[in-house]
Amino acid sequence: MPNSRPIIGISAGFDYSENRLFINNGYIEAIRLAGGLPVLLPVTNDTELLKHIIGRFDGFLLSGGSDVDARFWGEPNYTFGGEISPLRDEPELFIAREAIAADKPILGICRGCQVMNIAMGGTIYQDIYAQQVGKEIYKHSQNAPKWYPTHDIFIEKDTKVFKAHQEEIIRVNSFHHQAVKDVAPGFIVSSRCGDGIVESIEHISCKFAVGVQWHPELMWEKDNTYLKIFVKFVALCK
């Protein structure tokens, strides 16, 4: 069926007190409007099921959320770390590795960007303010409406993020205290904030393996320019 929508698996948050999945509807609607069929992924460590999902789905979106356990890049969890979600960490790291190995398109947003980098051998700052001592860091956990862009990012030309937006500078929202530190082998930094913090990464040989630190799913309803990254992603899933 040449006009069928590609199936996009979306990782969800997990509420431990209520034993339930949750997701911001902005992710779902962005994929739908971009031409994809959004499907929530299960929270499971069943490797055989996850391999089946990799084979059946056309692309993957790793959503934002809590911190990743620092043990996955060989560090202790320091006091300035935040809440971690053990039921999410292993399956999402597995999906990132397998999707990239199979050249299945994958988009990581905020936590999802960090998951992709960790999965492929990179590291992250557990807290950009505590671990960048003596450096003036921008406000990356904004006190403003979630859709409101609060700082510029500077995009490298000839990258997938640039090809999606066709702009060298765009303004984005910001809700994180962690960020990519050592970029994983095979990846490049495709944009940075004015303070030097990594704002997006992408794999140099995959058709689409991109992580962005901002939250376009919270912005596109106010300004559809932020739908462009989803459109580029879904187009390459077809």
Side-chain angles (χ1 to χ4, degrees), residues 58-102:
D58 299 302
F60 299 91
L61 194 166
L62 299 180
S63 65
S66 56
D67 294 354
V68 180
D69 188 339
R71 74 182 178 90
F72 289 109
W73 69 96
E75 291 183 2
N77 286 296
Y78 295 124
T79 55
F80 40 72
E83 178 186 359
I84 61 175
S85 182
L87 292 182
R88 290 188 66 180
D89 287 353
E90 290 195 26
E92 289 181 21
L93 289 163
F94 182 90
I95 287 168
R97 284 191 295 267
E98 294 294 312
I100 290 167

Side-chain angles (χ1 to χ4, degrees), residues 35-76:
L37 177 64
V39 177
L40 289 189
L41 295 169
V43 174
T44 179
N45 284 320
D46 183 335
T47 302
E48 288 306 310
L49 177 60
L50 291 171
K51 286 181 179 178
H52 188 68
I53 286 168
I54 296 294
R56 291 288 298 274
F57 283 54
D58 299 302
F60 299 91
L61 194 166
L62 299 180
S63 65
S66 56
D67 294 354
V68 180
D69 188 339
R71 74 182 178 90
F72 289 109
W73 69 96
E75 291 183 2

